[in-house]
Amino acid sequence: MLPFRRFTIALAALNLAALSAAHGQTTEWSAYGRDAGGTRLAPLADINRGNVARLKLAWTYHTGEAADSTGPHNSFEATPLMVNGTLYLSTARGKTIALNPETGVERWVYDAEVDPSLHFGDYNSRGVSYWTDPSVAAGAACRRRIIVAAVDARLLALDADNGQPCTTFGDHGAVNLRNGLRNPPDFPTEYEVTSPPAVVNGVIVVGSAVADNSRAEGASGEVRGFDAKTGALRWTWDPVPQDSTDPAWSSWRGSRAHNTGAANTWSVIAADSARDLVFLPTSSPSVDYFGGTRLGDNRYANSVVALRVSTGKVAWSFQTVHHDLWDYDNASPPALVTIHPGGQARDVVVQATKTGQLFVLDRDTGEPVFKVEERPVPRSTVPGEEASATQPFTVGIAPLSPHHFTAADAWGVTDADREVCRASIAGLRNEGIFTPPSLEGTLVIPSNIGGAHWGGVAIDPTRGVVVIPVNRVAAEVQLIPREQVTREAAAQGSRIGYQYTDMKGTPFYMRRRILLSPGQLPCTPPPFGSLVAIDLNTGAGLWDVPLGTLPLPNGSLGPPAWGSPNLGGPMITAGGLVFIAATIDRQFRAYDVETGRELWRTALPAGGKATPMTYRIGTPGRQYVVISAGGNDDFFGKSDAVMAYTLGE
């Protein structure tokens, strides 16, 4: 006989399946995370654990950008929306595209014509937003709007029916987000927008992406609220406090601290319209790896910040990293869900972090639901630097990825690889997570790609399960006095080998690399990437499986137990499935949400670094699962394909 909890879960899933199948009901995907709270849960069970093996390609659409070899390299990471019978998506070079969701046939394209000569640091657009103007009559122009934040920092409003600009919005349909910043960009690509804005209660809430490590007083990271109808600025919130009465003011110390830039919100914003709140995942202040010009905890940076939608005022904030020196942005979007710890309902915010931790916070107060304690961490030895003496650690939820790695743990396929890894690690400062960057070089674990990364989480509230993709590789970071850096070294920008960055306004260059053996495999033991499931009601781990397979230099694939470094998000359905691409091996997979067992996979033309989505449409109705397979480099490949799957006969 089934335990009561498993019985109720099974019953709920059956009810959802029956509901989705009734009368050919259309089920939409109306926000980046399907709902404004970003759970990425679809109440669809047409495709389920029993039949997912029959999933077949239904159609493919190409944006045309992969074939265009002019201009700098860009990425295709969009998660489409499906609203009112149309699929909407965006591209890095400024196209907004509407498709027939049953056939993939193009309905309209609007080209914002992003300057093809610009070299953005994170050259992509992860999707669009949707808003209906209640003051406009049904069928009238621009009643239904697609809101787009182009990578070149233009906020656009388009008519959802035909893609034409809504000319009463901003300046003939556009708002220039570079205007009015406290610290204007020093160069055009220092400031960009890569994530879709939140649209809540008639307000567009939009953040920005700021180039890492460019200068100590980098472009500022204000989050702003614009009127969704007119584009007029409603409010501005600066994560670097400018008011001496702000409770966070004193956590920024030094004559230049309040001139600091970044601390921006470049990931996706979650919203609770009933509470008049948006939840911001903020990033590191400028520059990432040296904080001598911004001493103190730097409150509001590296935080979950709850703002009032109506005013832009802070309701509460919770800092996940004090005085960040490791590029530990809150890259993962927050997710809003109701959980039942101890049998009592609590509305919470779930935030996964690059530190490999999961913070669960009360939605009204920001207080941790699972205890968080401040633990002593290593001090800095760099002149002028003052690392925080403690950092926050979640108690009751085990780390999602390792916090310690020593030379004795070095891994390699051959003895020679292991010896090189051991020698590399032995020469680095290495006292576990939060060991500060140093002049001799520091081992950083998790690395700047996580732990949990911008792929974020997916949540099944019925089962009380959160699923998180994580990376488990280490990096080396070194601060080098600028007079010691040669011109040749400073020009390096390869992702394999050392990357040098001039941190202007500081005494240092930053040098970093992922720790790899001569065979170009991580020095950390496998799995190098995993998919992890946590019980949100208890904090207990449910399952932890290797994610992907790692392509080897000789063209073969590593064993499944190795997993793969990954970048991309998961989705959960009521059919008991977790869908995710994300991996270097360019596969799209489905897992059993209760066990983590892989149930289906298919090859993609390039890595699916986007988050998948799903919807149901048609008569009698079919469920489709869609992924953007864009890749963006030599590892993930390059493509511009939107691919839709549905059940074969």
Side-chain angles (χ1 to χ4, degrees):
M1 191 172 178
L2 283 173
F4 179 73
R5 181 167 179 265
R6 287 180 60 84
F7 173 76
T8 55
I9 289 171
L11 184 61
L14 287 171
N15 288 339
L16 282 169
L19 178 64
S20 69
H23 308 298
Q25 178 181 342
T26 295
T27 303
E28 298 185 336
W29 188 284
S30 59
Y32 178 85
R34 186 179 179 273
D35 52 72
T39 61
R40 303 178 186 174
L41 171 73
L44 290 171
D46 299 20
I47 302 167
N48 53 57
R49 288 174 288 191
N51 62 20
V52 68
R54 294 180 15 226
L55 213 53
K56 303 293 183 184
L57 183 65
W59 54 259
T60 301
Y61 172 84
H62 291 279
T63 70
E65 292 191 358
D68 182 0
S69 60
T70 62
H73 198 64
N74 62 76
S75 183
F76 181 41
E77 301 174 2
T79 297
L81 305 187
M82 204 291 283
V83 185
N84 201 39
T86 300
L87 209 62
Y88 300 98
L89 62 134
S90 57
T91 73
R93 294 196 180 179
K95 291 180 181 176
T96 303
I97 299 168
L99 303 176
N100 181 315
E102 295 183 78
T103 65
V105 171
E106 188 179 285
R107 287 181 169 163
W108 56 255
V109 177
Y110 174 79
D111 192 347
E113 298 181 343
V114 171
D115 184 345
S117 69
L118 295 176
H119 289 255
F120 293 100
D122 192 7
Y123 199 165
N124 69 66
S125 176
R126 296 193 176 97
V128 302
S129 302
Y130 177 84
W131 180 66
T132 300
D133 185 348
S135 69
V136 175
C142 286
R143 171 178 165 81
R144 300 189 313 109
R145 299 186 180 193
I146 300 301
I147 307 298
V148 187
V151 69
D152 61 3
R154 284 179 291 160
L155 185 64
L156 311 171
L158 307 176
D159 189 316
D161 291 327
N162 55 34
Q164 294 302 302
C166 298
T167 56
T168 58
F169 179 89
D171 182 6
H172 296 89
V175 172
N176 187 337
L177 295 174
R178 289 192 175 93
N179 293 340
L181 294 174
R182 172 174 53 83
N183 287 358
D186 209 26
F187 49 94
T189 57
E190 186 185 11
Y191 186 91
E192 58 182 304
V193 184
T194 56
S195 294
V199 188
V200 197
N201 299 339
V203 179
I204 302 170
V205 183
V206 62
S208 61
V210 175
D212 287 348
N213 294 308
S214 61
R215 55 192 175 110
E217 296 176 1
S220 49
E222 292 98 323
V223 174
R224 286 170 288 183
F226 293 90
D227 189 289
K229 184 177 181 68
T230 67
L233 180 65
R234 292 267 198 98
W235 50 259
T236 298
W237 176 76
D238 196 326
V240 181
Q242 301 298 299
D243 182 352
S244 61
T245 65
D246 191 303
W249 170 273
S250 60
S251 69
W252 298 77
R253 293 189 284 106
S255 60
R256 297 167 59 190
H258 294 279
N259 297 329
T260 300
N264 48 295
T265 298
W266 63 262
S267 189
V268 179
I269 297 167
D272 185 332
S273 59
R275 285 178 165 86
D276 188 40
L277 291 176
V278 285
F279 302 89
L280 315 178
T282 64
S283 67
S284 51
S286 59
V287 289
D288 287 2
Y289 290 95
F290 179 73
T293 62
R294 52 168 176 87
L295 299 176
D297 277 355
N298 308 141
R299 298 283 170 169
Y300 298 146
N302 300 90
S303 298
V304 180
V305 180
L307 295 186
R308 298 289 176 198
V309 176
S310 53
T311 64
K313 302 297 184 183
V314 175
W316 57 259
S317 67
F318 176 88
Q319 192 169 50
T320 57
V321 176
H322 310 318
H323 190 72
D324 186 13
L325 301 173
W326 306 271
D327 191 15
Y328 282 157
D329 296 353
N330 282 318
S332 174
L336 311 183
V337 68
T338 300
I339 63 173
H340 298 82
Q344 295 189 342
R346 292 195 68 173
D347 294 341
V348 299
V349 183
V350 177
Q351 181 69 55
T353 68
K354 286 187 182 181
T355 64
Q357 298 194 80
L358 192 69
F359 294 95
V360 182
L361 311 172
D362 185 279
R363 207 179 305 173
D364 290 309
T365 66
E367 291 297 315
V369 174
F370 293 91
K371 181 182 176 182
V372 172
E373 65 182 22
E374 293 286 332
R375 297 177 185 170
V377 292
R379 308 303 293 265
S380 177
T381 57
V382 173
E385 183 61 272
E386 295 179 15
S388 176
T390 65
Q391 291 288 352
F393 289 82
T394 292
V395 178
I397 302 178
L400 306 173
S401 56
H403 282 177
H404 299 273
F405 173 61
T406 69
D409 302 319
W411 181 87
V413 174
T414 67
D415 290 341
D417 281 351
R418 284 190 292 275
E419 285 306 313
V420 171
C421 286
R422 287 191 187 109
S424 297
I425 296 163
L428 301 175
R429 186 177 177 195
N430 178 16
E431 299 163 53
I433 190 174
F434 297 119
T435 303
S438 60
L439 302 183
E440 67 270 28
T442 290
L443 186 141
V444 178
I445 188 165
S447 73
N448 54 295
I449 61 169
H453 48 71
W454 65 257
V457 307
I459 299 177
D460 183 337
T462 302
R463 293 178 170 88
V465 175
V466 58
V467 176
I468 315 110
V470 297
N471 287 313
R472 290 172 173 161
V473 294
E476 172 188 345
V477 172
Q478 185 178 10
L479 301 184
I480 306 175
R482 62 178 53 252
E483 64 272 12
Q484 298 178 16
V485 178
T486 66
R487 182 178 300 176
E488 292 76 16
Q492 290 188 29
S494 172
R495 295 189 179 188
I496 292 293
Y498 286 108
Q499 174 191 10
Y500 288 76
T501 304
D502 182 0
M503 301 190 297
K504 296 179 177 67
T506 80
F508 304 105
Y509 269 72
M510 183 276 294
R511 183 173 82 162
R512 72 181 179 188
R513 65 169 179 143
I514 298 295
L515 275 173
L516 300 177
S517 71
Q520 300 302 301
L521 295 174
C523 289
T524 45
F528 309 126
S530 292
L531 196 61
V532 180
I534 302 292
D535 187 322
L536 277 175
N537 296 314
T538 66
L542 297 175
W543 47 262
D544 183 335
V545 298
L547 177 57
T549 50
L550 187 64
L552 302 179
N554 64 8
S556 64
L557 291 175
W562 286 9
S564 167
N566 57 89
L567 290 171
M571 168 190 74
I572 295 177
T573 73
L577 297 170
V578 181
F579 286 94
I580 187 169
T583 52
I584 295 174
D585 63 5
R586 309 176 192 181
Q587 299 285 309
F588 188 22
R589 292 175 168 87
Y591 294 85
D592 187 320
V593 72
E594 292 187 355
T595 66
R597 185 167 67 94
E598 184 181 309
L599 300 177
W600 172 83
R601 79 165 78 173
T602 190
L604 299 174
K609 290 176 62 178
T611 298
M613 53 83 72
T614 188
Y615 52 88
R616 194 175 198 279
I617 196 167
T619 303
R622 303 189 81 180
Q623 182 183 353
Y624 295 82
V625 176
V626 175
I627 183 73
S628 295
N632 78 331
D633 54 29
D634 292 340
F635 299 109
F636 286 92
K638 181 67 176 175
S639 178
D640 59 7
V642 183
M643 306 184 76
Y645 299 83
T646 193
L647 291 176
E649 294 303 324

